[in-house]
Amino acid sequence: MGEFELIRQFFQPLADRAVTDQLILGPGDDCAIQRVPPGRDLVFSVDTLVEGVHFPEHYHPEYLGWRALAVATSDLAAMGAMPVCYTLALTLPEADQNWLAGFARGLARASEAFGIALAGGDTTRGPLTVTLQVHGTVATGTGLRRNGAQSGDLVCVSGTLGDAGAALDFLAAPEPSAVQQQVLSRYHFPEPRLFLGQQLVGRASAAIDISDGLLADLQHILQASGVGARINAQDLPVSAALRQVRGEQALELALTAGDDYQLCITIGQEQWSQLPDPVKQELTVIGRIEPQPGLRLEGAPRIAAKAGFDHFGSDV
Amino acid sequence: MGEFELIRQFFQPLADRAVTDQLILGPGDDCAIQRVPPGRDLVFSVDTLVEGVHFPEHYHPEYLGWRALAVATSDLAAMGAMPVCYTLALTLPEADQNWLAGFARGLARASEAFGIALAGGDTTRGPLTVTLQVHGTVATGTGLRRNGAQSGDLVCVSGTLGDAGAALDFLAAPEPSAVQQQVLSRYHFPEPRLFLGQQLVGRASAAIDISDGLLADLQHILQASGVGARINAQDLPVSAALRQVRGEQALELALTAGDDYQLCITIGQEQWSQLPDPVKQELTVIGRIEPQPGLRLEGAPRIAAKAGFDHFGSDV
């Protein structure tokens, strides 16, 4: 049995732990087999994280395991999907047992938290790269997409924004303060908004997860939907921790920093008013969809100019 | 629009060309959406190819495109599945337009040949690595697996073995001879045995694709099925081209070299006798399944000893 065969056995518990009856065959054969229940569609997304590009060198393997699965699963949340299973394509420079134990532990914690089981994978030798593909299901035809935003819809975001972006400054801090630790945990342990996404199926008109920053990701919705939007930076949800560690820069991070994995959605006024209170409480209205293409940013003239936006309201 | 956004547009034609009604939503949203027809299961497999490990440095990008999709799709063939779609996670050191054009061309040719459409992907910066996940379907419960071999079953392989392995010597040859070109094309352009695999559903008792060499891959079947086998090396299908370029070493390559992506199957005597002639003609009987665990190799005493096999017939 080769070294990499041993590694695969390291991940076997992640498959054995599967509690889903939809994963008919897990790792160990030429393919895995998934049964999609009648009346549901398969939704899937793949994400690659490269060392030194998407996470720092010598990054804690347990954090990496959680983070990699969270980043991928966040795309399921943005479609309103129920998670089912995932594959892991792991490229490693060497088979370090401690590293593998930590990585598998992070994956296991995330797998359990998100209700998703390992279905298969491939382990190869090379520069450290993690590629995860997540599978979920939605009721046929109901998956939340980017192209449904309509003029008059409200623009909303979940949670608070910018925290994970602020954490980048403290990743190498030997003894981070309590408040620094708060934003660090947002970077290390993002939580895909699965339940919220599922609650928005049939209600939101468009959705995306915020991986590249609010301004960038909202524009994906606007372009796919052929509409524009006006948002007010002063309405953005910003955590007390972020204000404390970044002061006046908090708003800029909330607008432009990635890695938060919150949701940005659009929703009709009437649908909004009918949302159950617990769902509404997870969302903050930050603006409105307009027929004129382009994103108009109010309430942050300096940032708007810096980011290439005209704060008087003309097109991008 | 960033550099990598442009790259994604390079691959868009591979998605637009989709002729399947099962891919409901292709690249460009948070997830792709696939509809699995009633009465069928989803089967899927992921494969990573790393430059300098799984293919040579400076390998022709068009060959790489074909080869990467063929290697992944071969796992669908081994399950007897119908291909549907695939995702591409591509990590690139730089966005070289010529390289991308060649790679996309190879992928496009393979996509068309195998009847499989691009569903989505992720493009990142880093050392050249190609991860492909292929999706197919099988009638519920009929996917060919590794664990069904029974004592008395025949062991068969498709095509000829060892050619791709012999090609490794000529990959850098400036002017390969006609016969060298024959084995080279087996390395550059493997053809997953999709139709053959589909014909074997409900007939073969176990199947695997030969990626790591016959001896290694047959043993995966034996271990999964809890049986053993006796095969005769003299019965192995070896091409005239391989005999010509490698002489007496041909048999060793046929037994141990990978990269051929033929199928190794087991099948009951009665099922074999009822196989349609065109299917039977694609297969060569090389041995038989036995109750005693282990692989017994006859007809090649020197190779058996070298590979750690006792050619007198005792266990591995």
Side-chain angles (χ1 to χ4, degrees), chain B:
Chain B
M1 182 179 298
E3 178 188 52
F4 281 74
E5 196 67 33
L6 280 167
I7 292 174
R8 279 190 280 274
Q9 295 202 347
F10 228 99
F11 295 111
Q12 188 60 42
L14 297 174
D16 295 341
R17 202 177 296 183
V19 287
T20 172
D21 54 357
Q22 294 178 40
L23 185 58
I24 306 296
L25 179 64
D29 214 302
D30 291 295
C31 292
I33 304 181
Q34 179 183 351
R35 188 157 299 159
V36 179
R40 296 189 73 84
D41 284 341
L42 172 76
V43 301
F44 54 100
S45 175
V46 62
D47 279 285
T48 296
L49 303 183
V50 180
E51 183 177 42
V53 179
H54 304 94
F55 58 93
E57 288 183 25
H58 310 297
Y59 187 53
H60 195 303
E62 187 169 344
Y63 298 173
L64 179 62
W66 176 287
R67 197 174 151 68
L69 189 53
V71 165
T73 303
S74 178
D75 284 313
L76 294 180
M79 302 293 283
M82 302 277 292
V84 176
C85 60
Y86 66 99
T87 60
L88 166 66
L90 179 62
T91 302
L92 285 172
E94 55 178 354
D96 179 298
Q97 293 293 312
N98 283 335
W99 191 93
L100 283 163
F103 183 72
R105 201 161 46 235
L107 265 187
R109 285 183 51 210
S111 303
E112 205 169 316
F114 312 153
I116 193 166
L118 183 67
D122 191 14
T123 310
T124 52
R125 185 182 296 277
L128 181 56
T129 308
V130 184
T131 297
L132 279 163
Q133 179 162 324
V134 290
H135 290 198
T137 67
V138 291
T140 296
T142 68
L144 296 172
R145 290 162 67 161
R146 299 179 178 175
N147 64 356
Q150 307 239 347
S151 179
D153 287 355
L154 303 174
V155 179
C156 308
V157 295
S158 65
T160 61
L161 300 180
D163 303 79
L168 295 175
D169 289 344
F170 313 121
L171 283 180
E175 290 182 34
S177 67
V179 66
Q180 287 174 346
Q181 280 174 23
Q182 271 183 276
V183 298
L184 276 169
S185 80
R186 290 287 302 273
Y187 178 86
H188 295 315
F189 302 111
E191 297 197 18
R193 305 304 307 261
L194 286 164
F195 181 71
L196 179 60
Q198 290 157 15
Q199 293 294 313
L200 291 168
V201 167
R203 292 164 166 161
S205 54
I208 193 170
D209 69 322
I210 304 175
S211 54
D212 297 332
L214 172 64
L215 294 183
D217 288 315
L218 173 55
Q219 284 186 88
H220 289 309
I221 287 182
L222 302 184
Q223 280 156 14
S225 302
V227 294
R230 180 178 304 267
I231 64 170
N232 192 321
Q234 299 298 324
D235 293 335
L236 255 61
V238 175
S239 72
L242 179 60
R243 289 205 191 276
Q244 207 173 323
V245 298
R246 292 301 287 269
E248 287 187 2
Q249 287 182 303
L251 211 54
E252 182 168 354
L253 280 170
L255 282 165
T256 61
D259 295 326
D260 278 315
Y261 298 101
Q262 294 295 333
L263 298 183
C264 173
I265 67 149
T266 63
I267 184 169
Q269 188 73 252
E270 194 175 325
Q271 287 286 356
W272 170 262
S273 65
Q274 290 167 13
L275 276 186
D277 279 340
V279 178
K280 213 181 265 184
Q281 282 159 20
E282 298 291 327
L283 296 165
T284 304
V285 178
I286 61 166
R288 195 179 278 272
I289 297 295
E290 299 178 335
Q292 190 195 3
L295 175 55
R296 288 157 289 279
L297 174 62
E298 296 177 340
R302 198 180 51 80
I303 300 163
K306 191 171 164 189
F309 291 94
D310 183 339
H311 62 280
F312 293 108
S314 63
D315 278 9
V316 180

Side-chain angles (χ1 to χ4, degrees), chain A:
Chain A
M1 182 179 298
E3 178 188 52
F4 280 75
E5 195 68 33
L6 280 167
I7 292 175
R8 279 190 281 274
Q9 295 202 347
F10 230 99
F11 294 112
Q12 188 61 41
L14 296 173
D16 295 341
R17 201 176 297 181
V19 288
T20 171
D21 54 357
Q22 295 178 38
L23 185 58
I24 307 296
L25 179 64
D29 215 300
D30 290 294
C31 293
I33 303 181
Q34 180 183 349
R35 188 159 299 159
V36 179
R40 296 189 74 84
D41 285 340
L42 173 76
V43 302
F44 55 101
S45 175
V46 62
D47 279 285
T48 297
L49 302 183
V50 180
E51 183 177 41
V53 180
H54 304 94
F55 58 92
E57 290 183 25
H58 310 298
Y59 188 53
H60 195 302
E62 186 169 343
Y63 298 173
L64 179 61
W66 177 287
R67 198 174 150 70
L69 189 53
V71 166
T73 303
S74 179
D75 285 312
L76 294 180
M79 302 292 284
M82 303 277 292
V84 176
C85 60
Y86 66 98
T87 60
L88 166 65
L90 179 61
T91 302
L92 284 173
E94 56 177 353
D96 180 297
Q97 294 292 311
N98 283 335
W99 191 94
L100 283 163
F103 182 73
R105 201 162 47 235
L107 264 187
R109 285 183 50 212
S111 303
E112 205 168 315
F114 312 153
I116 193 167
L118 183 66
D122 191 14
T123 310
T124 53
R125 185 182 296 276
L128 182 56
T129 308
V130 184
T131 296
L132 279 163
Q133 179 162 324
V134 289
H135 290 199
T137 67
V138 291
T140 297
T142 67
L144 295 173
R145 291 160 68 161
R146 298 179 180 176
N147 64 356
Q150 306 239 350
S151 178
D153 287 356
L154 303 174
V155 179
C156 308
V157 295
S158 65
T160 61
L161 300 181
D163 302 79
L168 295 176
D169 290 343
F170 313 121
L171 283 180
E175 290 182 35
S177 67
V179 68
Q180 288 173 346
Q181 281 175 23
Q182 270 183 276
V183 298
L184 277 169
S185 81
R186 290 286 301 274
Y187 178 87
H188 294 316
F189 302 111
E191 298 197 19
R193 305 304 307 260
L194 286 163
F195 181 71
L196 180 60
Q198 290 156 16
Q199 293 295 312
L200 291 167
V201 167
R203 292 165 166 161
S205 54
I208 193 170
D209 69 323
I210 305 176
S211 54
D212 297 332
L214 173 64
L215 294 183
D217 288 315
L218 174 54
Q219 285 186 89
H220 289 309
I221 286 182
L222 302 183
Q223 281 155 15
S225 302
V227 295
R230 180 178 304 268
I231 63 170
N232 192 321
Q234 298 299 324
D235 293 336
L236 256 61
V238 175
S239 73
L242 178 60
R243 291 205 189 276
Q244 207 173 326
V245 298
R246 291 302 286 268
E248 289 188 2
Q249 287 182 303
L251 211 53
E252 182 168 355
L253 281 170
L255 283 164
T256 61
D259 296 326
D260 278 315
Y261 299 100
Q262 294 294 334
L263 299 183
C264 175
I265 67 149
T266 64
I267 184 168
Q269 188 73 250
E270 195 174 327
Q271 288 286 357
W272 171 261
S273 66
Q274 290 168 13
L275 276 186
D277 279 338
V279 178
K280 212 181 267 185
Q281 282 159 20
E282 297 293 327
L283 295 166
T284 304
V285 178
I286 61 165
R288 195 179 280 270
I289 297 295
E290 299 177 335
Q292 189 195 3
L295 176 54
R296 288 158 287 281
L297 174 61
E298 296 177 340
R302 198 179 53 80
I303 299 164
K306 192 171 165 187
F309 292 93
D310 182 340
H311 61 281
F312 293 107
S314 62
D315 276 11
V316 181

